[in-house]
Amino acid sequence: MSIPQWLPDARFYQIFPDRFHRCEGYGMLTEGHVPLDPWDAEPTRENFLGGNIAGITEKLDYIHDLGCNALYLNPIFSAATNHRYDANDYFKIDPLLGTLEDFHTLVDEAHKRNIRIVLDAVLNHCGKTHWMFQDVVKNEENSEYVNYFSVKNFPVKSLPVPNYKTCSGCEYLPKWNVFNPKVREHHFNVARYWIDQGIDGYRLDVPYFIYPEFWQDFRQVVKAKNSELCLIAEEWRDPAQWLQGDTTDSTMNYTLRDLVLGFTATKRFNAYDFVDGINRLQERIPYGYHHGMMNLLGSHDTERVLTAHQNNTEDCITAYYCMFACEGAPMIYYGDELGMVGDNDPGCRSGMQWDSLDANAEIFRTIVQLNALRRDHIALRRGTQSCYAVDEDTVIISREHKEESLLMIISRNNLVEYNSSKLPQQLQNHNWRIINGVTVGNSWRPNKDNSMIVLQAQQ
């Protein structure tokens, strides 16, 4: 089973639509939506800042110049909350975000820049404002949609404890009864509809809450439209179950995140622990899927990367070195490239700080540099991986491809210099030249204010 050909070459940028950019004159306030807060307001789980689809389109050149070529968008469907994981109609753009025409413009303009669009598929649950669920609330057992959900008894009650199945006990998120063939067909029609609008794939929200056979059928529906459409599962533990060729092409690589932050942020892992963890993860991922994994350090469900590193820019950058060096497609969560800070939800969901482009220019420059390295070097996109621990603070990640071989030497302390005699024996059969850093005599040194050396084997 092969993954989409473009996936190993992807450099993702994740956007939480309400908080990315507000383009004035697009989108509208509708009944049920609260007024917009100031853009710099403290993020809460209730407030709206008014980011919209036209705002994303307006910033496509920024995303392109950052070096990203794929967008993962948190939900855009009509909903009652700012996060929109509580859809009330899957076939409509939330009016606060804009119109279907606005979305078509975004897709067209993104594709002109060779940027792909991946949407969030939230099919385990909807919002209690969904019109089908509301029909059940109104008509109870006489509703034609009564078996679309799992209601214990009537009347439907949300509080103090819902008498219907929900997502993780959240009363405003009734769970779909996906065992109902009519629900499955609804979900498949949703998938087909947005593919017809021009998207390039789906990220699957909490897929582990739905039985696997559903996702096998879902894959067939999606791939029947286009085999190059990607399917990426949200997964926080073991990715292997999703990478057997019958469900998804990739998972969000939270396991890699845990390893990287354990090495660079909490320091609970030394280099030997980190390498051991990376090698065990690599063994768990079936052959053919390594290069399509969605690697991340931050998302809408985590604290921000700089916050995880207690505002230590140098350690934060070291984490990005590790992520970009490993097999898989890297993803940047909006604003992390600017050094934005924030604790987990809702703190990680503040308005994009567009007036602070120079606030942490070092992180921004690093991400531009790393995206360019991946763009320019096929070994980083498609090369096999080997990892070595040199000492407790230094790792070497080797990427081997038939067209080139690369080494990334990364230290969580100041990397002063390095030479070929310090390389593991397996790597001393190449004549290495430096492509990131400087050569001093017989030694290599990182560039100023840097803790990474990149070497390429001379052909």
Side-chain angles (χ1 to χ4, degrees):
M1 183 68 65
S2 61
I3 65 175
Q5 288 298 303
W6 62 269
L7 196 53
D9 302 323
R11 302 177 297 277
F12 282 96
Y13 191 81
Q14 181 189 351
I15 291 177
F16 193 90
D18 184 67
R19 308 296 166 81
F20 184 62
H21 180 54
R22 183 198 302 169
C23 184
E24 301 297 340
Y26 292 83
M28 54 182 284
L29 292 180
T30 62
E31 183 179 356
H33 280 111
V34 298
L36 300 183
D37 277 6
W39 191 255
D40 59 355
E42 179 180 354
T44 72
R45 292 179 177 173
E46 290 77 34
N47 64 347
F48 287 82
L49 302 189
N52 51 28
I53 290 171
I56 299 173
T57 304
E58 197 170 73
K59 295 296 184 179
L60 284 175
D61 285 340
Y62 167 85
I63 295 165
H64 179 270
D65 292 345
L66 185 65
C68 295
N69 61 0
L71 290 181
Y72 155 41
L73 304 182
N74 288 116
I76 62 171
F77 311 132
S78 181
T81 65
N82 57 38
H83 58 70
R84 298 185 174 91
Y85 282 91
D86 58 330
N88 57 45
D89 192 329
Y90 289 85
F91 296 93
K92 292 182 180 179
I93 300 282
D94 192 298
L96 192 60
L97 289 177
T99 65
L100 185 60
E101 182 181 1
D102 295 333
F103 184 73
H104 287 159
T105 300
L106 170 62
V107 171
D108 291 345
E109 291 298 319
H111 286 169
K112 287 179 184 178
R113 295 165 174 80
N114 295 316
I115 297 174
R116 298 179 188 266
I117 305 285
V118 174
L119 291 188
D120 219 329
V122 189
L123 301 176
N124 171 68
H125 53 272
C126 61
K128 70 178 183 181
T129 58
H130 193 284
W131 63 272
M132 291 183 186
F133 188 74
Q134 284 298 303
D135 191 86
V136 176
V137 172
K138 178 181 178 181
N139 297 308
E140 301 183 345
E141 65 268 21
N142 296 317
S143 171
E144 66 176 293
Y145 306 108
V146 65
N147 292 322
Y148 283 47
F149 306 94
S150 299
V151 182
K152 182 178 180 180
N153 49 45
F154 295 100
V156 176
K157 295 181 181 179
S158 297
L159 299 171
V161 178
N163 63 348
Y164 48 89
K165 286 188 177 181
T166 68
C167 177
S168 301
C170 296
E171 58 86 18
Y172 71 99
L173 298 177
K175 181 177 173 66
W176 289 104
N177 174 19
V178 187
F179 290 101
N180 184 333
K182 292 183 178 180
V183 171
R184 293 197 296 274
E185 189 56 33
H186 167 270
H187 288 2
F188 297 156
N189 285 336
V190 170
R192 296 183 185 104
Y193 178 80
W194 292 103
I195 291 169
D196 290 343
Q197 309 314 310
I199 69 167
D200 300 286
Y202 290 103
R203 176 263 193 187
L204 310 180
D205 183 63
V206 295
Y208 37 81
F209 287 154
I210 301 180
Y211 64 96
E213 291 78 10
F214 168 80
W215 294 117
Q216 293 168 2
D217 293 341
F218 186 86
R219 177 186 180 88
Q220 293 183 21
V221 168
V222 169
K223 297 295 184 174
K225 299 289 285 185
N226 186 343
S227 62
E228 282 293 287
L229 294 163
C230 74
L231 292 170
I232 303 171
E234 177 186 8
E235 179 52 64
W236 293 76
R237 296 183 178 89
D238 184 6
Q241 64 176 313
W242 300 102
L243 306 174
Q244 302 301 317
D246 60 349
T247 52
T248 67
D249 304 304
S250 167
T251 77
M252 299 180 77
N253 204 349
Y254 279 104
T255 304
L256 177 65
R257 174 183 182 269
D258 293 342
L259 290 167
V260 172
L261 297 187
F263 179 57
T264 63
T266 66
K267 310 292 176 73
R268 65 191 181 98
F269 297 147
N270 62 30
Y272 299 98
D273 300 325
F274 175 72
V275 168
D276 180 63
I278 290 292
N279 289 338
R280 283 188 283 110
L281 173 61
Q282 188 179 25
E283 291 172 0
R284 291 294 300 151
I285 299 174
Y287 177 78
Y289 290 92
H290 294 88
H291 300 133
M293 295 294 288
M294 180 187 270
N295 294 347
L296 70 153
L297 297 179
S299 75
H300 64 293
D301 285 326
T302 71
E303 62 186 345
R304 285 195 173 271
V305 183
L306 190 57
T307 298
H309 290 89
Q310 299 180 23
N311 294 341
N312 186 309
T313 296
E314 182 177 336
D315 287 347
C316 180
I317 287 174
T318 302
Y320 282 115
Y321 291 154
C322 293
M323 181 183 76
F324 273 82
C326 288
E327 291 175 323
M331 184 186 80
I332 304 299
Y333 179 54
Y334 84 97
D336 279 349
E337 75 276 14
L338 304 182
M340 287 176 61
V341 296
D343 292 325
N344 199 352
D345 171 27
C348 59
R349 303 176 179 183
S350 55
M352 179 74 162
Q353 296 173 1
W354 291 106
D355 58 350
S356 301
L357 288 176
D358 298 323
N360 204 316
E362 191 175 355
I363 294 177
F364 185 88
R365 287 196 301 268
T366 296
I367 290 175
V368 171
Q369 172 200 28
L370 291 172
N371 273 329
L373 276 172
R374 275 190 61 87
R375 179 197 65 211
D376 295 341
H377 294 280
I378 194 170
L380 283 179
R381 304 192 307 274
R382 298 171 182 268
T384 57
Q385 173 180 293
S386 300
C387 298
Y388 310 87
V390 177
D391 53 45
E392 289 199 346
D393 297 312
T394 309
V395 300
I396 297 177
I397 299 177
S398 167
R399 302 295 303 274
E400 296 275 347
H401 187 269
K402 63 182 180 179
E403 295 182 19
E404 67 170 353
S405 299
L406 289 184
L407 295 184
M408 299 183 77
I409 306 171
I410 304 166
S411 175
R412 65 181 181 184
N413 287 333
N414 290 328
L415 184 60
V416 179
E417 68 177 32
Y418 210 85
N419 60 58
S420 59
S421 66
K422 296 181 180 180
L423 293 176
Q425 189 65 39
Q426 304 95 311
L427 302 177
Q428 292 188 15
N429 58 344
H430 287 299
N431 183 19
W432 299 100
R433 68 182 184 90
I434 198 162
I435 61 172
N436 187 79
V438 294
T439 301
V440 180
N442 294 322
S443 297
W444 307 300
R445 292 181 181 176
N447 293 320
K448 185 180 179 182
D449 300 324
N450 205 317
S451 57
M452 176 185 70
I453 294 169
V454 182
L455 304 173
Q456 183 184 52
Q458 297 192 55
Q459 301 295 321

